[in-house]
Amino acid sequence: MTQARPPTLAAAKQEMPIHEIEWAIKRIGDRIKELEEFDIEIVTKSTPALKALSAAIAGTLERAFGENSSAYHRYAQAAVLQHVSMAISIEGHRRHVDYQTPTQENIIRSIALMRAAQSSLKEDLEFRQASLEYDHLVIVDDAQRVLSRRIFLVHGHDEGARETVARFLMQLGFDPIILHEQANRGGTVIEKIEAHGQVDFAVVLLTPDDEGCTKGATAEPRARQNVLLELGYFLGRLGRNRVCALKRGTLEIPSDFAGVVWESMDGNNWKQALGRELEAAGHEIDWNKVMRA
């Protein structure tokens, strides 16, 4: 089962726990309800209830987004409810001051901003939930996926090494894939590798089949070029933890692969080493068969 991972959000949003986002959505909803139910008729030059509501809105936004965040500053005007300036009209000799009309406009603006803030948090919540669902799917997939017993065996001209390793893998219940034994079907070598490379593990035999050197230097034994190409291919495709390199004899290891861990085939310890690598990659290993091989 595969599923596209949600796009990356800012670090602050990713770190905000789901329960805090849910809390913020609910509290903003409470503030919106209080704004909608506020009695505009009680508004005068100084209205304690309106100041208290402004403080509650500011506090909710600070806890939801963080006081110094860009999101907080985006919605901070929602806490400004009391209109400072006054609209004045003259009725005869009396002066009438209207505090209610501009305050009502501020409340309408505040409700719109608070709903926008709530919508932003809901999007964050969907993102966090989708991320958790994706992570759960990855864990379930890795736990339930049955690893293939097919193992790609990369080799050079050392037929003895190839047959020894192939026979060992077969004794452990694996199916070694040897490229030259597969049908060409009119394809190139790389196309054959791609066609038969649907494996979960690869064993690469580094044997001194060729000689080479930099210009002017003394030729030294080295692995065949196709072996190095296929080593790089499977390192990229499977990762280093699913590729085991077995080295026989003395040969030059290219600097690009100097960080690749390899096991010596000069002796029998390579069998235990290969068994450990297979087991670490998730394969079941019968160690009695390893010791008898």
Side-chain angles (χ1 to χ4, degrees):
M1 182 187 301
T2 59
Q3 180 167 322
R5 191 176 185 86
T8 302
L9 294 183
K13 292 184 178 181
Q14 287 182 320
E15 295 172 357
M16 189 174 182
I18 284 180
H19 71 275
E20 290 186 10
I21 300 178
E22 292 174 334
W23 175 91
I25 291 173
K26 182 179 184 304
R27 287 295 178 269
I28 289 177
D30 293 340
R31 301 292 88 82
I32 291 174
K33 184 177 181 181
E34 291 168 358
L35 285 166
E36 291 174 334
E37 295 177 351
F38 186 80
D39 184 5
I40 196 67
E41 298 297 328
I42 68 172
V43 174
T44 60
K45 182 176 181 180
S46 178
T47 308
L50 192 63
K51 291 182 178 180
L53 183 52
S54 295
I57 292 172
T60 297
L61 291 174
E62 287 177 8
R63 287 190 292 272
F65 298 105
E67 184 177 2
N68 294 321
S69 70
S70 60
Y72 170 76
H73 291 295
R74 188 180 309 128
Y75 306 116
Q77 282 296 309
V80 180
L81 301 178
Q82 181 78 54
H83 203 280
V84 181
S85 61
M86 297 176 292
I88 302 175
S89 62
I90 304 298
E91 297 179 0
H93 299 288
R94 299 178 56 187
R95 186 179 67 176
H96 174 69
V97 181
D98 182 5
Y99 296 101
Q100 298 175 1
T101 300
T103 299
Q104 180 65 50
E105 293 175 354
N106 287 344
I107 289 176
I108 293 173
R109 180 197 60 196
S110 178
I111 291 174
L113 286 170
M114 294 292 279
R115 283 177 175 163
Q118 192 178 51
S119 177
S120 175
L121 287 168
K122 287 179 179 179
E123 289 181 0
D124 290 352
L125 180 61
E126 291 178 2
F127 166 79
R128 295 287 291 125
Q129 290 172 334
S131 295
L132 290 177
E133 181 181 357
Y134 172 85
D135 293 339
H136 174 71
L137 287 173
V138 171
I139 293 172
V140 169
D141 285 352
D142 286 346
Q144 294 182 349
R145 185 167 64 91
V146 177
L147 294 177
S148 169
R149 302 295 285 184
R150 290 160 48 90
I151 293 181
F152 202 100
L153 182 55
V154 178
H155 63 89
H157 284 171
D158 192 332
E159 296 182 3
R162 181 192 69 205
E163 294 304 317
T164 298
V165 175
R167 184 165 56 251
F168 173 70
L169 292 171
M170 292 174 67
Q171 289 174 337
L172 298 186
F174 292 98
D175 179 18
I177 305 301
I178 299 174
L179 192 62
H180 81 269
E181 295 179 352
Q182 313 304 318
N184 288 325
R185 296 181 180 177
T188 63
V189 173
I190 193 64
E191 287 172 338
K192 284 183 66 177
I193 294 174
E194 292 175 341
H196 299 284
Q198 303 299 322
V199 296
D200 290 308
F201 201 90
V203 177
V204 180
L205 304 184
L206 300 173
T207 55
D209 302 320
D210 288 354
E211 288 186 344
C213 62
T214 57
K215 186 176 181 179
T218 303
E220 296 181 2
R222 68 182 185 185
R224 289 189 58 78
Q225 300 301 290
N226 73 287
V227 172
L228 299 178
L229 172 64
E230 293 170 43
L231 170 61
Y233 175 84
F234 282 107
L235 285 173
R237 180 165 186 165
L238 302 176
R240 286 187 297 175
N241 61 328
R242 296 184 183 275
V243 177
C244 181
L246 299 177
K247 175 176 171 289
R248 169 175 281 187
T250 302
L251 73 159
E252 177 191 13
I253 301 295
S255 58
D256 288 349
F257 298 119
V260 176
V261 178
W262 49 266
E263 301 290 341
S264 174
M265 283 190 69
D266 300 326
N268 285 321
N269 291 336
W270 66 268
K271 296 179 180 179
Q272 288 82 7
L274 178 53
R276 288 193 300 269
E277 294 297 323
L278 287 165
E279 188 173 62
H283 293 280
E284 293 184 5
I285 300 297
D286 186 337
W287 284 99
N288 290 325
K289 291 182 179 179
V290 172
M291 303 310 294
R292 289 198 304 266

